[in-house]
């Protein structure tokens, strides 16, 4: 993610990249060992074992490439803020995700974690995203900048590090699904803003440093 024009960038903490680098070094050793075993077994009666280790070698290379992708991504900003939107970079994707401030309904810490919960309106339905602040360097400054942007976008502070739109009340509504059994507590639920369209199933959550 390139530097946001007129905004603020906040990088990943150094340990995110250093951990990936150490894993890559160990991965080189594992790939070399598996490759050597595969080459040695590709003879005579052990060819079947050689082919099996060849498949294992392919998976080892794929795993090493994944570690390289994480290491490379961790060199880019973890989150960024400009006048119009919040950006976050999941470690498994190449491009950052964008959250326009005019679609944010509420923002608050996720209880018991270092994650930041952001409720975003999408197609008339409020959806939750979770940003892992544990991997963000300068998270206190990030929250200060984010607070300024949220309040400028019309959200009001309702508690310590908590913001919400004045005309939005958080209410959980079960998702209608006649063909399915009733959802268990905490499942099949979503947030519905006032005047929204009929509810639709959730598409999934997003979190920086994970799937997003």
């Amino acid at each position: 993610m390139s530097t946001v024009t007129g905004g603020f960038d906040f990088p990943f903490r150094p340990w995110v990249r250093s951990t990936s680098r150490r894993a890559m070094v160990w991965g080189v050793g594992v790939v070399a060992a598996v490759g050597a075993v595969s080459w040695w077994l590709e003879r005579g009666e052990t060819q079947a074992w050689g082919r099996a280790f060849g498949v294992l070698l392919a998976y080892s290379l794929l795993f090493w490439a994944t570690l390289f992708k994480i290491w490379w991504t961790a060199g880019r900003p973890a989150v960024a803020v400009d006048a119009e939107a919040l950006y976050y970079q999941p470690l498994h994707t190449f491009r950052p995700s964008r959250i326009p401030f005019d679609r944010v309904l509420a923002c608050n810490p996720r209880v018991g974690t270092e994650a930041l919960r952001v409720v975003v309106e999408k197609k008339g339905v409020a959806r939750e995203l979770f940003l892992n602040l544990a991997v963000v360097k300068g998270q206190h400054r990030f929250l200060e900048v984010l607070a300024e942007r949220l309040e400028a976008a019309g959200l009001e502070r309702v508690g310590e590090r908590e913001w919400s739109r004045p005309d939005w009340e958080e209410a959980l509504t079960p998702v209608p699904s006649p063909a399915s059994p009733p959802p268990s507590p905490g499942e099949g639920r979503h947030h519905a803003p006032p005047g929204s369209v009929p509810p639709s199933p959730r598409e999934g959550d997003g979190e920086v440093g994970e799937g997003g």
Side-chain angles (χ1 to χ4, degrees), residues 120-164:
V120 183
E121 186 276 327
K122 185 176 182 181
K123 297 181 180 179
V125 177
R127 305 190 183 280
E128 294 176 315
L129 299 172
F130 296 97
L131 308 182
N132 183 11
L133 298 184
V135 300
V136 178
K137 183 179 180 181
Q139 60 175 270
H140 297 296
R141 176 58 181 158
F142 163 67
L143 290 172
E144 292 175 359
V145 174
L146 180 62
E148 295 174 1
R149 297 295 192 266
L150 291 174
E151 291 170 15
L155 281 79
E156 295 182 353
R157 188 184 292 268
V158 295
E160 185 178 3
R161 296 183 178 178
E162 295 186 37
W163 299 267
S164 178

Side-chain angles (χ1 to χ4, degrees), residues 67-208:
L67 292 174
F68 178 80
K69 165 63 178 68
I70 294 174
W71 173 83
W72 178 78
T73 303
R76 311 176 78 185
V79 291
V81 179
D82 64 15
E84 298 181 351
L86 163 68
Y87 304 81
Y88 65 94
Q89 176 66 66
L91 287 171
H92 67 284
T93 65
F94 288 93
R95 299 183 62 184
S97 298
R98 182 176 184 270
I99 304 175
F101 288 126
D102 59 4
R103 292 174 58 185
V104 175
L105 299 174
C107 181
N108 58 271
R110 189 178 190 181
V111 179
T113 71
E114 290 191 65
L116 184 69
R117 172 177 172 267
V118 184
V119 183
V120 183
E121 186 276 327
K122 185 176 182 181
K123 297 181 180 179
V125 177
R127 305 190 183 280
E128 294 176 315
L129 299 172
F130 296 97
L131 308 182
N132 183 11
L133 298 184
V135 300
V136 178
K137 183 179 180 181
Q139 60 175 270
H140 297 296
R141 176 58 181 158
F142 163 67
L143 290 172
E144 292 175 359
V145 174
L146 180 62
E148 295 174 1
R149 297 295 192 266
L150 291 174
E151 291 170 15
L155 281 79
E156 295 182 353
R157 188 184 292 268
V158 295
E160 185 178 3
R161 296 183 178 178
E162 295 186 37
W163 299 267
S164 178
R165 291 199 178 275
D167 58 347
W168 183 73
E169 290 186 7
E170 185 168 3
L172 294 174
T173 307
V175 175
S177 180
S180 305
S184 303
E187 297 180 357
R189 294 153 67 93
H190 75 290
H191 303 274
S196 64
V197 298
S200 60
R202 295 178 61 174
E203 296 178 356
D205 299 335
E207 184 169 351
V208 61

Side-chain angles (χ1 to χ4, degrees), residues 1-9 77 80:
M1 178 166 51
S2 60
T3 301
V4 174
T5 303
F8 298 85
D9 290 346

